[in-house]
Amino acid sequence: MKKYLLLVILGGIIFSLIGCSSPTAGSSTESDVNLESVNEFLNNSGDLGPGSIANKVSIIPFQHIDGPKNESDFYAFVNFEYKARDYIKYQVTYLSCTCRSAAENYWQTAYVELSLPNTNNPDDVVIKYLSYDQDPSEHYLGGFWGDSSPTPAGVTYDIFKDQYIDYFQGKESSYIQTLSTMWDIETSDYTLGEGRSDLTIDTFTGSSVSANNIIRIINSLLDYHSQNEFFHE
């Protein structure tokens, strides 16, 4: 009888402990964790974000593509965001080249300025500036090129900068959204503009990881940019 009572008591204690550890109304569960809640935590749990001495930060989804065109769901980090009168300045850090060893799997940072169009239409957003080194003032390094220079195909960062990165400046979001990889760029578009008539997109065929993920990260940042309250006033 004593053994029976002891088992009943132990069972009651175990049951009560299990009950105490179960999620209750209003408690956080795994299903509650999403990018919105993570970004809210980052900007409210520490001294970051509005009302602080540090700018807002965010994590955004980013669909990476490698050389064989395998796609992976990655995340990128918007580690700087500043709203000016008619545009927003961003730094966004992401992993591009994954063909190197883990010891050299460096991330890179793009400095981007995206317009706030008078139409309040996200499709009309213009890429005012794109850089992986200096900002427009040429006084600060807003970006960082973390991919190989030269690439295994012999393409240096300077070639990327002068021929490829420069191509995207002044382009509208509606056009960028039609691009998924560099092969979506029409030759007639790529060679349009002063000093571009002799350029060819094929220069970057053997360096497609860097080229394609520039397009992918711009699209990810444009999606994030379109969520700004400016477009929902």
Side-chain angles (χ1 to χ4, degrees), residues 97-209:
C97 182
T98 54
C99 59
R100 300 170 295 191
S101 70
E104 299 166 332
N105 225 9
Y106 302 121
W107 292 43
Q108 59 186 14
T109 299
Y111 171 83
V112 191
E113 294 182 358
L114 299 178
S115 73
L116 296 171
N118 293 331
T119 60
N120 290 82
N121 186 342
D123 289 341
D124 296 333
V125 169
V126 173
I127 301 174
K128 289 173 58 68
Y129 200 80
L130 173 64
S131 172
Y132 285 83
D133 48 59
Q134 293 179 316
D135 71 355
S137 73
E138 298 186 351
H139 185 70
Y140 297 104
L141 285 174
F144 166 76
W145 184 257
D147 279 3
S148 301
S149 180
T151 66
V155 179
T156 64
Y157 166 64
D158 286 337
I159 294 175
F160 267 102
K161 178 180 178 179
D162 295 338
Q163 298 185 21
Y164 190 75
I165 295 171
D166 182 67
Y167 170 74
F168 295 97
Q169 300 198 73
K171 295 293 188 295
E172 291 189 348
S173 176
S174 56
Y175 169 69
I176 299 296
Q177 291 175 59
T178 68
L179 306 178
S180 178
T181 67
M182 54 177 271
W183 295 287
D184 295 324
I185 300 174
E186 297 288 343
T187 300
S188 56
D189 291 329
Y190 189 72
T191 56
L192 190 64
E194 184 178 354
R196 298 191 61 87
S197 59
D198 294 331
L199 301 184
T200 172
I201 196 70
D202 291 337
T203 298
F204 305 96
T205 297
S207 310
S208 63
V209 171

Side-chain angles (χ1 to χ4, degrees), residues 215-231:
I215 292 174
R216 295 299 179 91
I217 198 62
I218 292 174
N219 270 314
S220 292
L221 189 60
L222 283 168
D223 285 342
Y224 174 74
H225 183 68
S226 69
Q227 298 169 29
N228 188 276
E229 60 184 9
F230 170 85
F231 297 101

